[in-house]
Amino acid sequence: MNQTLTIQKERLGTYLNQSFIEVGRATEFAIRFFKEAIRPPYEFKELLKQCYLIGYKSLPLVTITGFIMGLVLTLQSRPTLAEFGAESWLPSMVALSLIREIAPVITALICAGKVASGIGAELGSMKVTEQIDAMEVSAINPFKYLVVTRIMATTLMIPLLVIYADGIGIVGGYMGINIHGDVNVVRYLSQVIESITFLDIFPATIKTFFFGYFIGMIGCYKGYNAENGTESVGKAANSAVVTASLTIFIIDMIAVQVTDLFF
Amino acid sequence: MEKNYTLQNSNPVIEIKDLHKSFGTNEVLKGVTFNLNKGENLVVLGKSGSGKSITIKCIVGLIKIDSGIITVFNQEINSLEIDELNKIRTRIGFLFQNAALYDSMSVRENLSFTLRRHDTTLSGDAINEHVLEVLESVGLKEAIDKMPSELSGGMRKRIGLARTLILKPEIILYDEPTTGLDTITSREISELILELRQKNKTSSIIITHDMPCARLTSDRIVILKEGVIHVEGTYDELEKSEDEWVRSFFI
Ligand SMILES: Nc1ncnc2c1ncn2[C@@H]1O[C@H](COP(=O)(O)OP(=O)(O)OP(=O)(O)O)[C@@H](O)[C@H]1O
Ligand SMILES: [Mg+2]
C-alpha cells in the first residue's frame, strides 16, 4: 500500500517535472521568435504567402460560424429579453456580446482547430522527413523561414478574421431579428453602432493579437519539436489544437481581469 | 572510369577525432576517428543502426556531439558561431537518405530556393539556367515543373542530388545514394558520383549498403562497428580480409 503510494508520488513528480521542462522549452521558443523576427533578412514573400493561406483560406469557415453565432445568439436571447419587455435592446445586446466575447473566442477556437493543427502537421512532417534539417544544412535558417513567418501571419490575421466575424455576426443578428419581426436595416445598424464604444472594441482587439500569436506559436512549437516517426505528426497536430484551445481560454480569462482593472 | 585513383596525399578536408555521441542510454558512437582527404571518395559501411547517418550529421553540425573533435577545412566546427558554420555548410553538399525534398515546392523551386538565398545578385534567368544545368547533370530535365509527390523514389534521389549540387560544393556527403533503386539506376548514380568528382574535384563520403556502388566509387573504405571504425582499407584489401565479419560485407 505504502509502496504504491510512493510510486504514484514519483509518477506525479516526473509528470510535473516534465511539464515544467515543456513550459520552459516553449518559453525559450517564444523568446527565440522575437530575437529572430527583428534580425534581417526578412522573409516577406513567405510571410505574404502565409497570410494568404492562414487568413484568406479561413474566410469561408469564419463566415459560416460568424453568421450562425449572430443568428443563434439573437434567437436565443429574444425570449428572455421579451419577458422583461426589453426586446428593443436586442440589437445592442447581440452586438456587445459578439464584439466583446463571442466572436473573438469562437473565431480563435475555430482557427486553433484549423490553423494550429495545420501548422503543427505541416512542420511536424517537415521535421520527420528531414526537410527542416535539409534547410539547415544548406545554411538557411529554418526557424526564420518557417516559424517566424507563420507566427507573424497568425498574429496579424486572427485579429482581422475576428473583426470580419464581428461584421458577419451582426449581419446574422439582423437576420435573426427579422425572423420574428420587421426591423429596418438602418435602424438596426444605428442601434448597433450607438451601443458600441471604443472601450468595447479596444480590449477585445488587443486580446485577439494574443490569440493569434499563441495559435501560431503553439502550432509551430509542436510541429518543430516533433519526434521521429510518422505517428508523431498526428500527435503534433493533435496536441497543437488541444494546447492552443486551452491557452485561448486562459488568455481570455486573464484579459477579462485586466480589462476590469483598467477600464 | 578512373579506378584506383588512390591518393597518397594527406591533405584532409575533414578530420574526425574520437567522436562520441549517445542518445539517452544508447551509446551510438564511441570514439570514431577517420579523415577524408582532398579529392577522395571514402565509402562508409556498417550494419543498419551502427551510426553512419549520425556521423555525417555531426560533420555538418546538425547534431551536437558529446565529445571529440571534428575539423572541416581546418576549422573546428563545434566552436564556430552559427554564421561561420553556415559559411562552411554552403561548401558542403548533403544528400539525405530519403532525399528530404521540400514537399510544398516544385522541383524548380526546390533547386532555386537555396541558390536564390545565397546569391541575391543572380537574375531570374541566371537561376533558371543553373537549375537546368544541374537537372541535366542528373538526367531529369523533364521533371522541372513536377511536384515531389509526383516523382518516383529514384527520381527523388536524383533531384535530391541535383539540389545538393546546385551550390557547387567542395565536399559531398552521400547518405545511401543508391538504396532502393534498381541495379541499372544504381549503376548510373554510381557513375554520376565518379563523374562529379572528376568534373568538380569534389571530395566525398559515401554511405552505402550497395556493394557494386562501393566497388565502383570507393578509393578507400571504412567499416563502422559497435561505435568505432573497425577496419579501413581499399575494396580489394577488405574483400580478402582475414576477418570473417568484414568479409561478410562483400558476399
Ligand atoms: N534523433 C535520435 N534520437 C534518438 N536516437 C537516435 C536518433 N537518431 C538516431 N538514433 C539512434 O542512433 C542509432 C544510429 O542511427 P543511424 O541513423 O546513424 O544509423 P545508420 O547507421 O545510418 O543506419 P541505416 O543504415 O539503417 O541508415 C540508431 O540506433 C538510432 O536508433
Ligand atoms: Mg542511415
Side-chain angles (χ1 to χ4, degrees):
Chain A
M1 193 55 208
N2 214 340
Q3 209 174 1
T4 39
L5 202 68
T6 328
I7 290 173
Q8 274 175 352
K9 255 193 203 161
E10 256 170 36
R11 265 197 209 143
L12 184 69
T14 34
Y15 176 75
L16 281 179
N17 225 341
Q18 275 168 354
S19 311
F20 280 124
I21 290 172
E22 181 86 0
V23 169
R25 284 179 45 184
T27 312
E28 206 179 316
F29 191 85
I31 293 170
R32 187 170 168 201
F33 161 76
F34 291 105
K35 275 194 197 152
E36 305 248 14
I38 52 175
R39 239 183 25 177
Y42 309 111
E43 301 280 356
F44 284 120
K45 220 174 134 193
E46 179 67 11
L47 175 62
L48 281 181
K49 185 177 152 197
Q50 289 307 324
C51 285
Y52 169 78
L53 289 176
I54 290 164
Y56 185 74
K57 293 274 178 175
S58 305
L59 276 182
L61 203 59
V62 172
T63 310
I64 295 169
T65 48
F67 183 81
I68 294 176
M69 276 188 294
L71 184 76
V72 170
L73 192 63
T74 314
L75 294 180
Q76 297 272 32
S77 317
R78 173 183 222 104
T80 324
L81 285 180
E83 227 169 274
F84 296 103
E87 255 186 286
S88 60
W89 284 12
L90 201 49
S92 6
M93 208 213 83
V94 169
L96 276 182
S97 345
L98 273 178
I99 288 172
R100 284 190 153 190
E101 189 58 36
I102 296 183
V105 172
I106 300 282
T107 309
L109 287 177
I110 293 279
C111 290
K114 182 175 186 294
V115 177
S117 69
I119 293 176
E122 188 192 8
L123 295 198
S125 80
M126 288 187 79
K127 168 83 180 198
V128 168
T129 58
E130 297 180 310
Q131 292 174 54
I132 292 183
D133 287 343
M135 266 183 207
E136 195 153 357
V137 294
S138 43
I140 292 163
N141 183 344
F143 194 93
K144 190 162 223 151
Y145 182 76
L146 297 170
V147 175
V148 171
T149 52
R150 278 167 179 75
I151 298 181
M152 277 190 172
T154 54
T155 313
L156 296 173
M157 287 298 118
I158 303 297
L160 290 181
L161 285 172
V162 169
I163 290 170
Y164 173 76
D166 288 342
I168 294 288
I170 287 168
V171 173
Y174 180 67
M175 297 289 171
I177 285 176
N178 266 313
I179 290 178
H180 286 280
D182 192 20
V183 179
N184 183 296
V185 187
V186 180
R187 238 192 90 206
Y188 173 76
L189 281 183
S190 64
Q191 235 179 339
V192 165
I193 292 168
E194 254 169 47
S195 61
I196 303 168
T197 64
F198 174 73
L199 287 186
D200 297 316
I201 298 177
F202 182 69
T205 308
I206 296 290
K207 88 180 162 194
T208 58
F209 281 101
F210 283 93
F211 289 163
Y213 170 76
F214 277 97
I215 286 172
M217 203 280 279
I218 291 166
C220 288
Y221 174 75
K222 294 290 180 184
Y224 204 77
N225 292 307
E227 314 259 312
N228 286 336
T230 33
E231 83 280 4
S232 63
V233 176
K235 254 198 214 155
N238 190 300
S239 93
V241 178
V242 175
T243 317
S245 308
L246 202 64
T247 310
I248 286 165
F249 281 115
I250 293 171
I251 296 170
D252 197 46
M253 191 176 71
I254 296 171
V256 168
Q257 305 289 336
V258 173
T259 317
D260 254 11
L261 267 180
F262 288 99
F263 300 107
Chain B
M1 286 281 146
E2 41 160 10
K3 264 237 77 202
N4 293 328
Y5 173 159
T6 24
L7 287 138
Q8 296 308 325
N9 77 16
S10 51
N11 184 4
V13 284
I14 297 178
E15 286 174 273
I16 300 177
K17 277 204 200 86
D18 203 25
L19 173 60
H20 286 259
K21 177 71 196 174
S22 353
F23 292 97
T25 54
N26 179 10
E27 278 185 71
V28 182
L29 304 178
K30 304 177 209 168
V32 170
T33 302
F34 67 87
N35 288 353
L36 173 70
N37 296 320
K38 194 163 171 34
E40 181 186 37
N41 276 350
L42 177 69
V43 165
V44 178
L45 299 178
K47 286 202 330 203
S48 201
S50 56
K52 305 181 295 296
S53 300
I54 296 296
T55 306
I56 61 168
K57 282 180 185 169
C58 289
I59 295 175
V60 287
L62 264 184
I63 294 180
K64 287 271 158 292
I65 65 175
D66 296 342
S67 67
I69 298 173
I70 300 177
T71 324
V72 183
F73 300 124
N74 294 319
Q75 278 175 289
E76 196 193 326
I77 62 143
N78 317 321
S79 58
L80 291 180
E81 290 292 318
I82 184 73
D83 292 336
E84 288 164 329
L85 179 59
N86 276 342
K87 263 184 214 140
I88 289 188
R89 281 171 171 171
T90 57
R91 298 167 70 187
I92 304 178
F94 195 113
L95 177 65
F96 282 86
Q97 196 163 344
N98 52 23
L101 299 180
Y102 307 130
D103 286 333
S104 58
M105 302 182 198
S106 70
V107 168
R108 183 197 299 274
E109 289 162 335
N110 257 285
L111 300 185
S112 56
F113 182 71
T114 334
L115 195 59
R116 190 165 283 138
R117 254 145 250 273
H118 289 302
D119 193 345
T120 42
T121 58
L122 281 177
S123 68
D125 284 345
I127 287 177
N128 230 352
E129 218 166 274
H130 273 95
V131 168
L132 280 172
E133 189 188 313
V134 286
L135 277 180
E136 178 120 63
S137 70
V138 297
L140 271 180
K141 233 171 149 176
E142 71 280 2
I144 187 160
D145 285 315
K146 289 215 162 83
M147 294 303 283
S149 54
E150 299 172 272
L151 303 175
S152 74
M155 288 161 94
R156 291 172 69 91
K157 276 262 163 69
R158 288 207 233 180
I159 299 297
L161 185 53
R163 191 178 66 184
T164 310
L165 297 178
I166 200 149
L167 288 181
K168 302 218 163 29
E170 294 154 61
I171 300 175
I172 305 181
L173 309 174
Y174 298 93
D175 198 346
E176 307 197 5
T178 58
T179 304
L181 305 182
D182 63 277
T183 40
I184 298 172
T185 316
S186 296
R187 201 188 158 81
E188 279 170 12
I189 294 218
S190 305
E191 278 164 3
L192 187 61
I193 292 173
L194 283 175
E195 218 177 282
L196 285 171
R197 193 254 304 265
Q198 204 169 7
K199 209 166 72 185
N200 305 341
K201 308 275 175 289
T202 48
S203 328
S204 313
I205 295 180
I206 303 153
I207 293 175
T208 190
H209 294 292
D210 174 17
M211 293 321 287
C213 168
R215 193 181 61 224
L216 202 64
T217 56
S218 67
D219 300 318
R220 188 159 61 98
I221 295 179
V222 293
I223 305 185
L224 203 57
K225 184 189 184 186
E226 284 157 14
V228 293
I229 298 293
H230 184 65
V231 281
E232 169 188 342
T234 63
Y235 187 95
D236 298 329
E237 281 164 20
L238 296 185
E239 196 178 18
K240 298 184 202 83
S241 165
E242 315 250 296
D243 188 335
E244 197 179 334
W245 184 82
V246 171
R247 267 202 325 272
S248 67
F249 276 91
F250 294 81
I251 298 167

